[in-house]
Amino acid sequence: GIRQAAALLRQGRLVAFPTETVYGLGAIAFDALAVARIFEAKRRPSFDPVIVHVADDAMLARVVRELPPLARRLIDHFWPGPLTLVLERTDDVPRIVTAGLDSVGVRMPSHPVARALLREVSAPVAAPSANAFGSLSPTRAEHVVRSLGSRVDCVLDAGPTPLGVESTILQVLPHPVLLRPGALPLEEIEAVVGPVERASRNDDEAPRSPGRLEHHYAPQTPLRITHGDRVPLAERSGAGYLAFERGVEGYAAVRVLAPDGDMSRAAARLFECLHELDTGSLSRIDAEPVVESGLGLAIMDRLRRAAAR
Ligand code: TXA
Ligand code: MG
Protein backbone atom coordinates (compact mmCIF):
# COMPACT_ATOMS: atom_id res chain seq x y z
CA GLY A 1 0.00 0.00 0.00
CA ILE A 2 2.78 2.40 0.89
CA ARG A 3 4.57 1.66 -2.38
CA GLN A 4 1.37 2.27 -4.38
CA ALA A 5 0.66 5.47 -2.48
CA ALA A 6 4.19 6.73 -3.19
CA ALA A 7 3.76 5.94 -6.88
CA LEU A 8 0.51 7.93 -6.94
CA LEU A 9 2.21 10.89 -5.24
CA ARG A 10 4.91 10.82 -7.92
CA GLN A 11 2.16 11.05 -10.55
CA GLY A 12 0.83 14.18 -8.89
CA ARG A 13 -2.15 12.44 -7.29
CA LEU A 14 -3.49 13.01 -3.76
CA VAL A 15 -2.88 10.51 -0.97
CA ALA A 16 -4.42 10.68 2.49
CA PHE A 17 -2.15 9.17 5.12
CA PRO A 18 -2.14 8.80 8.90
CA THR A 19 0.09 10.85 11.15
CA GLU A 20 0.24 10.67 14.94
CA THR A 21 -2.09 13.71 15.08
CA VAL A 22 -4.74 13.47 12.34
CA TYR A 23 -4.90 12.15 8.75
CA GLY A 24 -3.20 14.42 6.22
CA LEU A 25 -4.05 14.97 2.55
CA GLY A 26 -0.69 14.80 0.82
CA ALA A 27 0.99 15.85 -2.39
CA ILE A 28 4.70 16.19 -3.15
CA ALA A 29 5.60 19.64 -1.84
CA PHE A 30 7.58 20.66 -4.95
CA ASP A 31 4.71 19.78 -7.29
CA ALA A 32 2.73 23.03 -7.38
CA LEU A 33 0.01 21.54 -9.55
CA ALA A 34 -0.56 18.64 -7.18
CA VAL A 35 -0.66 21.02 -4.21
CA ALA A 36 -3.24 23.07 -6.09
CA ARG A 37 -5.35 19.93 -6.25
CA ILE A 38 -5.24 19.73 -2.44
CA PHE A 39 -6.83 23.16 -2.21
CA GLU A 40 -9.44 22.12 -4.73
CA ALA A 41 -10.21 18.86 -2.97
CA LYS A 42 -10.57 20.57 0.38
CA ARG A 43 -12.34 23.64 -1.06
CA ARG A 44 -9.66 25.45 0.87
CA PRO A 45 -9.07 29.17 0.33
CA SER A 46 -5.66 29.74 -1.19
CA PHE A 47 -4.58 32.14 1.55
CA ASP A 48 -4.21 29.25 3.96
CA PRO A 49 -0.69 27.76 3.85
CA VAL A 50 -0.05 24.02 4.03
CA ILE A 51 2.32 22.15 6.38
CA VAL A 52 5.27 20.35 4.80
CA HIS A 53 6.22 16.94 6.22
CA VAL A 54 9.81 15.69 6.16
CA ALA A 55 11.47 12.42 7.17
CA ASP A 56 15.02 13.59 7.84
CA ASP A 57 17.47 16.50 7.91
CA ALA A 58 18.23 16.21 4.20
CA MET A 59 14.56 16.76 3.32
CA LEU A 60 14.37 19.58 5.85
CA ALA A 61 17.31 21.31 4.17
CA ARG A 62 15.47 21.32 0.84
CA VAL A 63 12.55 23.18 2.41
CA VAL A 64 14.07 25.48 5.03
CA ARG A 65 16.77 28.06 4.27
CA GLU A 66 18.35 28.24 7.68
CA LEU A 67 17.86 26.70 11.10
CA PRO A 68 18.17 29.24 13.92
CA PRO A 69 19.68 27.69 17.10
CA LEU A 70 16.29 27.85 18.79
CA ALA A 71 14.75 25.73 16.04
CA ARG A 72 17.59 23.23 16.29
CA ARG A 73 16.97 22.90 20.01
CA LEU A 74 13.23 22.33 19.50
CA ILE A 75 13.89 19.81 16.74
CA ASP A 76 16.34 17.86 18.90
CA HIS A 77 13.77 17.71 21.69
CA PHE A 78 10.51 17.15 19.90
CA TRP A 79 11.03 15.66 16.43
CA PRO A 80 9.77 13.37 15.20
CA GLY A 81 6.51 14.49 16.77
CA PRO A 82 3.51 16.85 16.81
CA LEU A 83 5.36 20.18 16.58
CA THR A 84 5.21 22.33 13.43
CA LEU A 85 7.84 25.05 13.14
CA VAL A 86 7.36 28.10 10.95
CA LEU A 87 10.73 28.92 9.39
CA GLU A 88 12.17 30.74 6.39
CA ARG A 89 11.49 28.77 3.20
CA THR A 90 13.87 27.96 0.35
CA ASP A 91 13.09 29.08 -3.21
CA ASP A 92 12.29 25.45 -4.07
CA VAL A 93 9.06 25.59 -2.09
CA PRO A 94 6.27 26.65 -4.44
CA ARG A 95 4.33 29.76 -3.47
CA ILE A 96 1.10 27.85 -3.37
CA VAL A 97 2.38 25.78 -0.43
CA THR A 98 3.07 28.84 1.70
CA ALA A 99 0.20 30.95 0.35
CA GLY A 100 2.77 33.46 -0.83
CA LEU A 101 4.51 33.78 2.55
CA ASP A 102 8.31 33.68 2.83
CA SER A 103 7.95 31.23 5.68
CA VAL A 104 7.03 27.56 5.62
CA GLY A 105 5.44 25.40 8.28
CA VAL A 106 7.37 22.15 8.58
CA ARG A 107 7.27 19.09 10.78
CA MET A 108 8.67 15.57 11.02
CA PRO A 109 5.85 13.17 11.89
CA SER A 110 6.48 10.18 14.13
CA HIS A 111 3.76 7.87 12.77
CA PRO A 112 5.45 4.82 11.22
CA VAL A 113 3.18 4.85 8.15
CA ALA A 114 3.81 8.56 7.50
CA ARG A 115 7.54 7.99 7.88
CA ALA A 116 7.53 4.97 5.59
CA LEU A 117 5.61 6.93 2.95
CA LEU A 118 8.01 9.89 3.15
CA ARG A 119 11.01 7.60 2.83
CA GLU A 120 9.43 5.76 -0.10
CA VAL A 121 8.75 8.98 -2.09
CA SER A 122 12.00 10.53 -0.79
CA ALA A 123 10.52 14.00 -1.12
CA PRO A 124 8.85 16.36 1.34
CA VAL A 125 5.07 15.99 1.35
CA ALA A 126 2.75 18.96 1.76
CA ALA A 127 -0.35 17.98 3.70
CA PRO A 128 -3.11 19.81 5.49
CA SER A 129 -5.61 17.78 7.45
CA ALA A 130 -7.58 15.48 5.15
CA ASN A 131 -11.01 17.04 5.56
CA ALA A 132 -13.12 19.60 3.73
CA PHE A 133 -12.08 23.13 4.75
CA GLY A 134 -13.44 24.21 8.10
CA SER A 135 -14.98 20.86 9.03
CA LEU A 136 -14.00 18.37 11.72
CA SER A 137 -10.48 16.96 11.44
CA PRO A 138 -10.18 13.28 10.47
CA THR A 139 -8.79 10.83 13.00
CA ARG A 140 -9.87 7.76 11.00
CA ALA A 141 -9.71 6.73 7.35
CA GLU A 142 -13.55 6.64 7.33
CA HIS A 143 -13.63 10.32 8.28
CA VAL A 144 -11.46 11.13 5.26
CA VAL A 145 -13.66 9.19 2.90
CA ARG A 146 -16.84 10.72 4.33
CA SER A 147 -15.48 14.25 3.99
CA LEU A 148 -13.58 14.06 0.68
CA GLY A 149 -14.98 11.00 -1.11
CA SER A 150 -13.66 10.64 -4.65
CA ARG A 151 -11.72 13.89 -4.38
CA VAL A 152 -8.90 11.86 -2.82
CA ASP A 153 -7.10 9.26 -4.95
CA CYS A 154 -5.95 6.95 -2.15
CA VAL A 155 -6.32 6.61 1.62
CA LEU A 156 -3.75 4.68 3.64
CA ASP A 157 -5.78 3.23 6.50
CA ALA A 158 -3.82 2.63 9.71
CA GLY A 159 -6.73 2.86 12.13
CA PRO A 160 -7.36 5.75 14.50
CA THR A 161 -4.57 8.29 14.94
CA PRO A 162 -2.97 8.07 18.39
CA LEU A 163 -2.96 11.75 19.46
CA GLY A 164 -6.15 12.93 17.76
CA VAL A 165 -5.52 16.69 17.68
CA GLU A 166 -3.35 18.59 15.24
CA SER A 167 0.25 19.56 15.84
CA THR A 168 1.22 22.58 17.90
CA ILE A 169 2.38 25.36 15.54
CA LEU A 170 5.21 27.60 16.65
CA GLN A 171 6.66 30.55 14.81
CA VAL A 172 10.36 30.66 15.62
CA LEU A 173 11.58 34.09 14.48
CA PRO A 174 12.12 36.73 15.71
CA HIS A 175 11.09 35.04 18.95
CA PRO A 176 8.89 32.03 19.70
CA VAL A 177 5.16 32.64 19.17
CA LEU A 178 2.47 30.01 19.62
CA LEU A 179 0.32 30.15 16.46
CA ARG A 180 -1.89 27.16 17.24
CA PRO A 181 -2.08 25.12 20.45
CA GLY A 182 -1.95 21.42 19.66
CA ALA A 183 -0.85 17.94 20.59
CA LEU A 184 2.45 19.07 22.10
CA PRO A 185 1.59 20.97 25.30
CA LEU A 186 2.90 24.53 25.50
CA GLU A 187 4.37 23.80 28.93
CA GLU A 188 6.73 21.21 27.43
CA ILE A 189 7.94 23.70 24.84
CA GLU A 190 8.46 26.40 27.44
CA ALA A 191 10.49 23.99 29.56
CA VAL A 192 12.97 23.88 26.67
CA VAL A 193 12.97 27.42 25.25
CA GLY A 194 11.53 29.60 28.02
CA PRO A 195 8.42 31.77 27.75
CA VAL A 196 6.50 31.63 24.47
CA GLU A 197 4.28 34.48 23.30
CA ARG A 198 0.72 33.52 22.44
CA ALA A 199 -0.60 35.00 19.22
CA SER A 200 -3.69 36.96 20.15
CA ARG A 201 -6.96 35.37 19.10
CA ASN A 202 -8.18 38.22 16.97
CA ASP A 203 -4.99 38.70 15.11
CA ASP A 204 -6.23 39.93 11.75
CA GLU A 205 -2.96 40.99 10.21
CA ALA A 206 -1.98 38.99 7.10
CA PRO A 207 -2.85 35.53 8.36
CA ARG A 208 0.08 34.53 10.54
CA SER A 209 -1.62 31.23 10.97
CA PRO A 210 -4.96 31.01 9.27
CA GLY A 211 -5.68 27.73 11.05
CA ARG A 212 -6.61 30.25 13.69
CA LEU A 213 -9.61 31.45 11.72
CA GLU A 214 -12.79 31.36 13.72
CA HIS A 215 -15.11 28.52 12.86
CA HIS A 216 -12.59 26.03 11.89
CA TYR A 217 -12.89 22.42 13.00
CA ALA A 218 -16.65 22.79 13.17
CA PRO A 219 -19.32 20.10 13.16
CA GLN A 220 -22.47 20.67 11.07
CA THR A 221 -24.55 20.58 14.25
CA PRO A 222 -24.53 23.83 16.23
CA LEU A 223 -22.24 23.53 19.22
CA ARG A 224 -21.99 25.53 22.43
CA ILE A 225 -19.69 25.21 25.43
CA THR A 226 -21.58 24.63 28.66
CA HIS A 227 -21.79 22.39 31.70
CA GLY A 228 -24.60 19.94 30.97
CA ASP A 229 -25.78 19.76 34.55
CA ARG A 230 -26.54 23.50 34.43
CA VAL A 231 -28.74 23.12 31.35
CA PRO A 232 -32.49 22.81 32.13
CA LEU A 233 -33.75 19.26 31.55
CA ALA A 234 -36.23 20.36 28.88
CA GLU A 235 -33.38 21.80 26.83
CA ARG A 236 -31.40 18.57 26.97
CA SER A 237 -33.80 16.39 25.01
CA GLY A 238 -32.90 16.20 21.35
CA ALA A 239 -29.42 17.54 22.04
CA GLY A 240 -26.09 15.76 22.45
CA TYR A 241 -23.57 16.14 25.25
CA LEU A 242 -19.81 15.93 24.96
CA ALA A 243 -18.63 15.32 28.51
CA PHE A 244 -15.12 15.25 29.89
CA GLU A 245 -15.25 12.59 32.64
CA ARG A 246 -18.91 11.93 33.36
CA GLY A 247 -22.13 12.04 31.35
CA VAL A 248 -25.27 13.96 32.32
CA GLU A 249 -28.82 12.60 32.17
CA GLY A 250 -31.52 13.76 29.80
CA TYR A 251 -29.47 14.18 26.64
CA ALA A 252 -30.38 12.23 23.49
CA ALA A 253 -26.76 11.17 23.06
CA VAL A 254 -23.72 11.43 25.31
CA ARG A 255 -20.03 10.89 24.61
CA VAL A 256 -17.52 10.88 27.46
CA LEU A 257 -14.02 11.89 26.40
CA ALA A 258 -12.08 10.35 29.28
CA PRO A 259 -13.85 8.41 32.05
CA ASP A 260 -10.51 8.21 33.88
CA GLY A 261 -9.91 11.97 33.61
CA ASP A 262 -6.82 11.48 31.45
CA MET A 263 -6.37 14.58 29.30
CA SER A 264 -4.38 12.82 26.57
CA ARG A 265 -7.18 10.30 26.16
CA ALA A 266 -9.62 13.22 25.95
CA ALA A 267 -7.57 14.88 23.20
CA ALA A 268 -7.24 11.61 21.30
CA ARG A 269 -11.01 11.10 21.37
CA LEU A 270 -12.13 14.71 20.78
CA PHE A 271 -12.72 14.69 17.01
CA GLU A 272 -13.80 11.06 17.10
CA CYS A 273 -16.61 11.85 19.56
CA LEU A 274 -17.57 15.03 17.69
CA HIS A 275 -17.84 13.03 14.46
CA GLU A 276 -20.11 10.54 16.27
CA LEU A 277 -22.38 13.29 17.60
CA ASP A 278 -22.46 15.12 14.28
CA THR A 279 -24.59 12.67 12.31
CA GLY A 280 -27.44 15.10 11.79
CA SER A 281 -29.94 13.64 14.24
CA LEU A 282 -29.19 16.07 17.07
CA SER A 283 -30.46 19.64 17.33
CA ARG A 284 -27.38 20.87 19.17
CA ILE A 285 -24.20 19.70 20.87
CA ASP A 286 -23.36 20.93 24.36
CA ALA A 287 -19.66 20.53 25.08
CA GLU A 288 -18.32 20.60 28.62
CA PRO A 289 -15.34 22.96 29.08
CA VAL A 290 -12.04 21.48 30.27
CA VAL A 291 -9.21 23.03 32.27
CA GLU A 292 -6.97 25.06 29.97
CA SER A 293 -3.57 23.65 30.73
CA GLY A 294 -1.53 21.00 28.99
CA LEU A 295 -3.59 19.43 26.22
CA GLY A 296 -6.64 21.20 27.61
CA LEU A 297 -5.44 24.31 25.77
CA ALA A 298 -5.72 22.58 22.39
CA ILE A 299 -9.07 20.99 23.29
CA MET A 300 -10.63 24.32 24.33
CA ASP A 301 -9.17 26.01 21.24
CA ARG A 302 -10.93 23.48 18.98
CA LEU A 303 -14.18 23.66 20.96
CA ARG A 304 -14.27 27.47 20.80
CA ARG A 305 -13.78 27.40 17.06
CA ALA A 306 -16.48 24.79 16.70
CA ALA A 307 -18.78 26.97 18.79
CA ALA A 308 -18.02 30.11 16.77
CA ARG A 309 -19.86 28.80 13.75
O1 TXA B 1 -1.04 17.79 12.89
C1 TXA B 1 -1.06 18.52 11.91
O2 TXA B 1 -0.49 19.62 11.89
C2 TXA B 1 -1.80 18.01 10.67
C3 TXA B 1 -1.08 16.79 10.13
C4 TXA B 1 -1.65 16.31 8.84
O3 TXA B 1 0.28 17.08 10.00
N1 TXA B 1 -1.89 19.03 9.68
C5 TXA B 1 -2.68 20.12 9.83
O4 TXA B 1 -2.68 20.94 8.74
O5 TXA B 1 -3.33 20.34 10.81
P1 TXA B 1 -3.75 22.10 8.49
O6 TXA B 1 -3.53 22.53 7.10
O7 TXA B 1 -5.11 21.64 8.79
O8 TXA B 1 -3.27 23.25 9.34
C6 TXA B 1 -2.06 23.85 8.97
C7 TXA B 1 -2.00 25.22 9.50
C8 TXA B 1 -2.59 26.21 8.51
O9 TXA B 1 -3.94 26.46 8.76
C9 TXA B 1 -1.75 27.43 8.80
O10 TXA B 1 -2.44 28.21 9.72
C10 TXA B 1 -0.49 26.91 9.47
O11 TXA B 1 -0.63 25.56 9.57
N2 TXA B 1 0.67 27.23 8.66
C11 TXA B 1 1.23 26.49 7.68
N3 TXA B 1 2.26 27.16 7.14
C12 TXA B 1 2.36 28.33 7.78
C13 TXA B 1 3.21 29.47 7.68
N4 TXA B 1 4.18 29.54 6.78
N5 TXA B 1 2.99 30.50 8.50
C14 TXA B 1 2.00 30.45 9.42
N6 TXA B 1 1.16 29.41 9.57
C15 TXA B 1 1.33 28.37 8.76
MG1 MG C 1 -7.05 21.44 9.30
Side-chain angles (χ1 to χ4, degrees), residues 21 44 48 51 53 103 107 128-129 167 169 180 208-211:
T21 57
R44 181 177 173 115
D48 197 0
I51 292 174
H53 299 71
S103 61
R107 82 179 189 96
S129 52
S167 62
I169 303 182
R180 176 178 76 182
R208 279 211 285 187
S209 193

Side-chain angles (χ1 to χ4, degrees), residues 74-289:
L74 288 162
I75 287 171
D76 290 344
H77 267 87
F78 298 116
W79 281 11
L83 174 65
T84 296
L85 297 176
V86 173
L87 295 162
E88 198 186 339
R89 68 169 176 87
T90 61
D91 291 334
D92 291 349
V93 180
R95 296 258 165 197
I96 188 164
V97 171
T98 65
L101 300 172
D102 289 329
S103 61
V104 60
V106 61
R107 82 179 189 96
M108 189 184 289
S110 63
H111 196 291
V113 174
R115 295 181 67 72
L117 181 65
L118 287 167
R119 275 196 303 269
E120 184 71 27
V121 284
S122 53
V125 169
S129 52
N131 55 318
F133 179 72
S135 67
L136 289 173
S137 290
T139 57
R140 289 178 180 271
E142 299 92 284
H143 298 159
V144 178
V145 173
R146 208 183 301 149
S147 184
L148 298 177
S150 59
R151 305 207 292 276
V152 49
D153 297 307
C154 163
V155 184
L156 282 173
D157 184 354
T161 57
L163 301 179
V165 285
E166 299 86 348
S167 62
T168 302
I169 303 182
L170 197 73
Q171 176 187 300
V172 176
L173 290 176
H175 56 271
V177 180
L178 178 72
L179 298 183
R180 176 178 76 182
L184 180 66
L186 184 60
E187 293 86 341
E188 289 187 35
I189 296 172
E190 290 189 318
V192 172
V193 300
V196 168
E197 182 193 326
R198 298 180 193 205
S200 71
R201 278 185 64 75
N202 300 318
D203 196 351
D204 51 9
E205 67 186 74
R208 279 211 285 187
S209 193
R212 306 170 42 73
L213 289 177
E214 295 293 340
H215 74 225
H216 224 78
Y217 313 106
Q220 298 300 308
T221 315
L223 180 145
R224 65 181 191 187
I225 301 172
T226 181
H227 289 275
D229 50 11
R230 294 180 203 159
V231 173
L233 255 179
E235 274 182 45
R236 296 182 202 170
S237 65
Y241 190 50
L242 182 69
F244 176 50
E245 280 186 79
R246 228 165 311 110
V248 166
E249 272 172 35
Y251 281 98
V254 173
R255 289 292 179 281
V256 179
L257 287 175
D260 56 0
D262 176 1
M263 200 63 105
S264 26
R265 187 185 319 282
R269 282 173 46 76
L270 176 67
F271 285 120
E272 166 103 51
C273 291
L274 282 172
H275 275 285
E276 286 172 9
L277 292 173
D278 192 29
T279 56
S281 57
L282 301 169
S283 57
R284 183 186 77 240
I285 299 168
D286 288 348
E288 184 183 357

